[in-house]
Amino acid sequence: MGRVLDGLTERLRAGPLHFTLIDPDKSPGAKAAEIAEGAVALGSDAILLGGSTGISREKMAAAARAVKAAVPVPTIIFPEGPSSLTDAADAVLFMSLLNSRRLDLVIRVHAQAAPHIRAMGLETIALGYLVIAPGMRVGEVGEVDVVPRDAPKVATGYALAAELLGMKMVYLEAGSGAPAPVPAEMVREVRAVLHIPLIVGGGIRTAADARTLLEAGAQILVTGTVTEEEGLGDGLRGILGEVRRARGG
Ligand code: 1GP
């Protein structure tokens, strides 16, 4: 395992974590670093960089450098494709969009990117990425057969397949800006069978959302929109409060 995954695995033993997603297109360089600093001061455990389509390599690299210099937690690329890759970050989520109809997003871009990633020496965290309805933009752009919200068994099958294929984490994604997060029942059922960490994101805006998902067994919560819309306000504070409480702190 790499250093970032080792560190996260170790920290997950003590309880759930929170990742802050920052879009370097909307918040470039120093602005990304400022948001990261605030979020980490409030207790966020890692920074994910990504989120919108068409982020240039230069923008990603500048944001990664600025964020890495500003915060002591891992700076991890949440890629939209090979153009997001930069060795200025600590690691990349090397993710297969499991329920996409586009074979490139399931495996082919990975084959193209793998030699470059190896040459860069960038740590990869192999991850099964599963989009749940409504899926929002990633559901559309990714040409996803979204998992219906009332079909936890479908999600469980994909999540287990990811684990059995050797992936290190599973990410249940409702889509950035989703009106509601992934249903708690789905999180509960997936968690009940999975041995690798379960990430949940999309549509988490309040402490109550966070509490419901944590009680259902989510181990890493990802939020982006709440900070974009409200900054380091009550939304993020409430969510981080719940994560801390679930850790027993
Ligand atoms: C999107 O899961 C993340 O990929 C975060 O979603 O922007 O809705 O917080 P939000």
Side-chain angles (χ1 to χ4, degrees):
M1 281 204 281
R3 285 185 53 197
V4 173
L5 182 58
D6 279 347
L8 293 173
T9 305
E10 180 62 35
R11 300 211 48 207
L12 280 166
R13 293 212 183 102
L17 303 176
H18 175 271
F19 291 179
T20 300
L21 174 65
I22 301 173
D23 182 346
D25 216 29
K26 292 179 190 152
S27 308
K31 176 75 184 149
E34 188 189 317
I35 297 169
E37 228 166 357
V40 170
L42 290 175
S44 194
D45 301 282
I47 303 299
L48 295 184
L49 293 177
S52 83
T53 42
I55 303 171
S56 69
R57 196 183 300 276
E58 293 68 33
K59 254 190 182 159
M60 184 57 93
R65 269 193 296 273
V67 168
K68 218 172 122 98
V71 295
V73 303
T75 302
I76 304 170
I77 300 168
F78 182 51
E80 52 127 348
S83 67
S84 307
L85 295 172
T86 165
D87 59 5
D90 295 308
V92 59
L93 298 182
F94 197 57
M95 46 200 245
S96 171
L97 182 41
L98 300 174
N99 52 339
S100 174
R101 294 184 298 278
R102 284 176 52 180
L103 192 52
D104 57 333
L105 300 182
V106 179
I107 187 63
R108 286 191 176 163
V109 291
H110 312 67
Q112 288 160 9
H116 303 290
I117 293 176
R118 177 56 60 83
M120 274 181 196
L122 184 62
E123 178 177 341
T124 49
I125 299 174
L127 181 143
Y129 189 52
L130 188 63
V131 178
I132 315 301
M136 310 304 283
R137 194 164 155 69
V138 70
E140 283 169 31
V141 177
E143 294 176 37
V144 168
D145 288 331
V146 289
V147 177
R149 295 176 67 80
D150 60 356
K153 298 251 171 319
V154 175
T156 301
Y158 274 109
L160 260 186
E163 177 175 319
L164 298 181
L165 281 164
M167 293 176 180
K168 305 297 187 203
M169 294 188 179
V170 167
Y171 190 145
L172 299 182
E173 169 73 271
S176 185
V182 173
E185 187 49 36
M186 185 178 283
V187 172
R188 194 168 291 115
E189 289 204 22
V190 170
R191 186 70 210 125
V193 298
L194 205 62
H195 295 149
I196 56 176
L198 178 60
I199 307 178
V200 179
I204 304 169
R205 288 161 185 269
T206 65
D209 292 338
R211 187 164 53 240
T212 304
L213 294 169
L214 291 166
E215 282 172 3
Q219 287 156 294
I220 298 174
L221 298 184
V222 179
T223 67
T225 301
V226 75
T227 327
E228 260 162 33
E229 289 184 354
E230 306 171 15
L232 306 168
D234 290 348
L236 185 66
R237 283 168 206 269
I239 291 161
L240 286 168
E242 292 299 330
V243 175
R244 203 162 39 241
R245 193 198 315 242
R247 271 207 292 256

